[in-house]
């Protein structure tokens, strides 16, 4: 049976939106590298949210499984994670992203200066990105949401492990695990600050 994509005719466009946005970030990285000798991020993780996850998210949020809900009410069909070596680079990249001509910032959450109670740290941006292709409303140029999560390597390591453990609800000792995870997050945040200081010391030599 051929089930239609929740993204409808936009299913073929979403990978192109993702590719175009990543190309913007890669070009920014090359430019910074040519000016300073060092790239600004470590790596990118980019994905179009799978059909299955999008359908599950619509249901979880009490929304019907339609193209409009997937691309207008939910804002992370296109997602990019930017992993940096140093904490300060995150805030520099945020400024670069704000300056991309076809990008409008819709919302931002700074879970770095305001970590979540569980210890989660990351900087989130929801962007409205203008592209030369049709969007969910049939307009050309089109507007697509792009979710960007910016984290250091340490923040990303913690988030990946915590994400894995979240799905193992049957483990005993939940209280201890939660408090140990929080302790690790805070220690890693301390390491990020120390690494930042070390870079400063090396650069000022
Ligand atoms: P997935 O599978 O990673 O896509 P939203 O649920 O997106 O509508 P919310 O909760 O306001 O709205 O968004 P927020 O706080 O910006 O978080 C969205 C995403 O950030 C999550 O996506 C996770 O990827 C990540 N995130 C937020 N909090 C945590 C956390 O405590 N631990 C970890 N590991 N990741 C977190 P999804 O859709 O939940 O999941």
């Amino acid at each position: 049976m051929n089930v239609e994509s929740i993204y409808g005719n936009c299913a073929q466009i979403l990978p192109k939106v993702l590719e175009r946005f990543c190309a913007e970030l890669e070009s920014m990285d090359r430019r910074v590298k040519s000016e300073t000798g060092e790239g600004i991020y470590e790596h990118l993780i980019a994905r179009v949210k799978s059909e299955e996850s999008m359908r599950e998210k619509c249901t979880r949020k009490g929304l019907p499984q339609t193209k409009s809900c997937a691309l207008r009410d939910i804002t992370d069909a296109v997602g990019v994670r930017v992993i940096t070596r140093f904490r300060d680079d995150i805030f520099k990249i945020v400024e670069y992203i704000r300056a991309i001509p076809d990008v409008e910032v819709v919302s931002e959450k700074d879970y770095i200066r305001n970590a979540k109670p569980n210890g989660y740290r990351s900087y989130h941006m929801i962007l409205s990105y203008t592209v030369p292709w049709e969007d969910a409303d049939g307009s050309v140029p089109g507007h697509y949401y792009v979710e960007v999560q910016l984290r250091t390597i340490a923040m990303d390591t913690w988030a990946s492990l915590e994400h894995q453990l979240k799905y193992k609800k049957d483990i005993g000792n939940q209280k201890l695990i939660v408090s140990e995870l929080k302790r690790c997050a805070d220690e890693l945040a301390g390491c990020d600050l120390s690494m930042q200081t070390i870079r400063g010391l090396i650069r000022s030599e």
Side-chain angles (χ1 to χ4, degrees):
M1 196 175 61
N2 199 357
V3 182
E4 207 208 328
S5 164
I6 189 169
Y7 300 123
N9 63 323
C10 296
Q12 284 82 40
I13 300 172
L14 288 168
K16 296 203 282 183
V17 174
L18 182 67
E19 198 180 321
R20 190 180 174 93
F21 186 74
C22 287
E24 299 267 14
L25 297 179
E26 283 156 7
S27 135
M28 166 198 82
D29 190 54
R30 278 194 300 276
R31 200 176 61 241
V32 174
K33 202 168 188 170
S34 73
E35 285 164 12
T36 66
E38 246 179 81
I40 194 146
Y41 59 72
E42 165 69 24
H43 63 278
L44 300 177
I45 301 168
R47 62 105 182 95
V48 172
K49 202 172 193 84
S50 71
E51 285 277 328
E52 199 193 355
S53 303
M54 184 53 83
R55 287 183 187 279
E56 184 277 321
K57 191 158 184 173
C58 286
T59 305
R60 181 158 38 94
K61 294 200 170 275
L63 297 167
Q65 296 184 2
T66 62
K67 173 171 88 171
S68 171
C69 290
L71 296 176
R72 288 289 176 248
D73 296 313
I74 293 179
T75 52
D76 69 347
V78 177
V80 180
R81 209 165 267 162
V82 183
I83 313 298
T84 69
R85 300 174 193 87
F86 298 98
R87 185 183 185 274
D88 279 9
D89 292 338
I90 292 173
F91 300 103
K92 285 184 202 145
I93 298 171
V94 167
E95 292 308 320
Y96 288 128
I97 290 176
R98 285 191 187 129
I100 298 174
D102 295 328
V103 159
E104 195 188 313
V105 179
V106 175
S107 67
E108 289 171 90
K109 285 186 199 160
D110 184 348
Y111 292 128
I112 296 178
R113 295 184 183 103
N114 303 296
K116 283 180 68 170
N118 63 356
Y120 177 75
R121 285 171 174 81
S122 187
Y123 195 100
H124 293 187
M125 303 176 92
I126 303 294
L127 311 174
S128 171
Y129 187 38
T130 306
V131 293
W133 307 298
E134 187 175 325
D135 66 17
D137 310 318
S139 306
V140 185
H143 299 276
Y144 282 83
Y145 287 120
V146 175
E147 183 191 72
V148 186
Q149 298 182 347
L150 300 110
R151 309 169 175 170
T152 62
I153 297 168
M155 293 171 196
D156 189 51
T157 302
W158 183 92
S160 303
L161 295 177
E162 192 262 0
H163 187 72
Q164 241 182 22
L165 293 172
K166 247 199 262 191
Y167 290 101
K168 304 203 171 176
K169 294 253 187 273
D170 51 341
I171 312 175
N173 257 338
Q174 278 292 326
K175 221 173 149 189
L176 178 65
I177 292 172
V178 168
S179 76
E180 280 300 285
L181 273 170
K182 169 81 169 67
R183 189 178 58 78
C184 287
D186 294 345
E187 282 179 11
L188 288 167
C191 284
D192 267 339
L193 286 177
S194 303
M195 298 295 265
Q196 182 77 49
T197 308
I198 293 166
R199 175 166 81 169
L201 289 171
I202 293 169
R203 283 189 171 173
S204 65
E205 260 186 3

